[in-house]
Amino acid sequence: MRVDKHDVRVGELAAGQPLSLPVYRFKGKGAGPSVYIQANVHGAEVQGNAVIYQLMKLLEHYELFGDISLVPLANPLGINQKSGEFTLGRFDPITGVNWNREYLDHGFNIEVWYQEHAHLDDGSLITAFRATLVEECARRLNNPWGVTTGHRLAVTLQSMAHKADIVLDLHTGPKSCKHLYCPEYERSAAQYFSIPYTLLIPNSFGGAMDEAAFVPWWTLAEVASIHGRELGVKVSALTLELGSQERIDLDDALEDAEGILAYLSHRGVIAETVPPKPMKRYGCFLKNYRKFHAPKAGMVEYLGKVGVPMKASEPLVNLLRLDLYGTGEELTVLRLPEDGVPILHFASASVHQGTELYKVMTKVFEL
């Protein structure tokens, strides 16, 4: 199957050079959901590019019902934000804002919008709502007061995502096991990806791409239901966390590409049946995803293994303070306060007081 490529302009550098990114598109037969997949919004989170590569190689051999648009290298500014051997591209260096918190929170009143469009049949209503979201992005980008560099990039990506029925945002953690951010209404989707742990997230906008894509549609479904109309949530948006940053693993990427393909098969995007990888999958609600912070500064030995369940009071961290040698307080064992699964930990062994050392899933259940 032939893939088309074009470049999308997302800004300009200070010396005037255009800033653009590549977009690849597989054209389907128009009988299935459309898909948008992006990777590398954070500069150091490169594994998603390998997954997109492996997915495109697989898609060449499948029959597509729906269109699939793929955007690797989604943040050229962040990717090129280097310091020595490290990539720093998590925060916009101009504003300090997380690149993945720059998306547009649509400010229009969906209750009012629904009442104005309630006379439309379901198909026409969905088309009109999608057009409104895309128009809101265009209006934002054309703000006469201008927008920040990071916001221009994010809203340009968001406007492409709003044209799709399925949105997948590929990320990694600092030092992390694979995990999935999945809206609560789409809980069954977790059974298809090659990912063992899932965080179920509510209908709340925090600035990320997945929320920017699904929150308006979830809210529309809730508004319609209040008025006696069951639309369902017409857009699915998920964030796939594909392990640790600053690494490319093509074999691992193939496994994750096959998991994405299994989900696309389930959703009717491709004609062929692709079974999910047999594995146990676990979840927790976002409210039970806990952060463990350093009670004091020091040098850290990370004892908790990501993706491995732990019991309360097991050693999580050794904290070394050589300035306190001889006082009996030079080595402190920090213990996990509650049963849980460490999902990721801070990348550096040198930490300030208050540093977020671990994120831990608690009250975990089998999906």
Side-chain angles (χ1 to χ4, degrees), residues 277-293:
K277 178 182 178 179
M279 59 187 294
K280 287 189 174 182
R281 294 169 173 87
Y282 301 91
C284 88
F285 291 101
L286 189 63
K287 65 182 180 181
N288 297 321
Y289 193 38
R290 306 298 301 274
K291 299 175 181 179
F292 186 90
H293 297 89

Side-chain angles (χ1 to χ4, degrees), residues 2 5 22 24 43 45 67 105 127 132 147-148 151-152 164 178 198 210 212 220 239 253 259 274 284 301 309 322 355:
R2 181 171 171 268
K5 176 183 181 266
Y24 296 92
E45 300 182 11
D67 295 345
D105 183 6
T127 299
T132 299
V147 297
T148 67
H151 194 50
R152 177 171 298 280
K178 295 180 188 179
T198 294
D210 53 3
L220 177 66
T239 295
V274 178
C284 88
E301 179 185 11
L322 282 176
T355 295

Side-chain angles (χ1 to χ4, degrees), residues 5 9 113 143 152 164 180 189 211 311:
K5 176 183 181 266
R9 184 123 167 212
W113 186 95
N143 186 333
R152 177 171 298 280
L180 177 73
E211 298 156 347
K311 294 293 186 181

Side-chain angles (χ1 to χ4, degrees), residues 329-349:
E329 297 181 11
E330 59 268 32
L331 184 64
T332 304
V333 180
L334 303 179
R335 299 179 182 277
L336 189 67
E338 183 180 349
D339 291 358
V341 182
I343 297 298
L344 59 83
H345 68 71
F346 195 61
S348 175

Side-chain angles (χ1 to χ4, degrees), residues 56-308:
M56 289 197 293
K57 297 296 289 183
L58 291 171
L59 288 171
E60 291 175 1
H61 306 288
Y62 285 85
E63 180 183 1
L64 270 63
F65 290 146
D67 295 345
I68 303 177
S69 296
L70 304 111
V71 185
L73 308 168
N75 182 359
L77 281 169
I79 293 164
N80 287 290
Q81 205 179 326
K82 304 288 290 188
S83 179
E85 61 184 292
F86 300 105
T87 308
L88 303 181
R90 185 170 184 82
F91 301 97
D92 181 343
I94 301 170
T95 63
V97 178
N98 186 325
W99 289 111
N100 195 38
R101 298 296 184 272
E102 294 268 30
Y103 298 100
L104 178 63
D105 183 6
H106 294 288
F108 67 95
N109 188 312
I110 293 178
E111 169 71 37
V112 171
W113 186 95
Y114 176 79
Q115 292 187 24
E116 292 173 350
H117 296 81
H119 63 282
L120 298 174
D121 62 66
D122 287 0
S124 299
L125 185 77
I126 291 162
T127 299
F129 192 67
R130 192 184 304 277
T132 299
L133 297 178
V134 174
E135 288 163 8
E136 287 286 315
C137 288
R139 186 176 296 111
R140 181 62 178 169
L141 291 171
N142 293 316
N143 186 333
W145 293 95
V147 297
T148 67
T149 301
H151 194 50
R152 177 171 298 280
L153 168 68
V155 177
T156 301
L157 295 171
Q158 185 177 353
S159 65
M160 291 190 284
H162 275 321
K163 297 172 185 176
D165 303 305
I166 297 168
V167 176
L168 303 180
D169 194 11
L170 310 185
H171 285 259
T172 67
K175 300 296 181 181
S176 174
C177 68
K178 295 180 188 179
H179 56 291
L180 177 73
Y181 284 87
C182 179
E184 291 174 5
Y185 69 84
E186 186 73 350
R187 177 171 173 164
S188 62
Q191 299 290 344
Y192 296 92
F193 297 97
S194 304
I195 294 177
Y197 294 104
T198 294
L199 290 158
L200 297 170
I201 56 180
N203 187 17
S204 176
F205 181 77
M209 168 59 93
D210 53 3
E211 298 156 347
F214 74 67
V215 164
W217 291 96
W218 195 346
T219 304
L220 177 66
E222 289 175 336
V223 168
S225 181
I226 290 170
H227 292 276
R229 185 174 184 175
E230 297 304 322
L231 273 179
V233 185
K234 296 302 181 182
V235 166
S236 299
L238 306 101
T239 295
L240 282 64
E241 299 278 354
L242 304 167
S244 301
Q245 64 189 25
E246 297 277 33
R247 65 181 275 277
I248 288 286
D249 184 323
L250 286 171
D251 290 339
D252 205 25
L254 178 58
E255 180 178 274
D256 286 314
E258 290 169 341
I260 291 172
L261 206 59
Y263 177 66
L264 299 185
S265 170
H266 162 68
R267 292 295 306 274
V269 178
I270 61 175
E272 294 82 358
T273 298
V274 178
K277 178 182 178 179
M279 59 187 294
K280 287 189 174 182
R281 294 169 173 87
Y282 301 91
C284 88
F285 291 101
L286 189 63
K287 65 182 180 181
N288 297 321
Y289 193 38
R290 306 298 301 274
K291 299 175 181 179
F292 186 90
H293 297 89
K296 58 184 180 180
M299 305 296 164
V300 171
E301 179 185 11
Y302 296 98
L303 302 176
K305 305 301 183 185
V306 295
V308 178

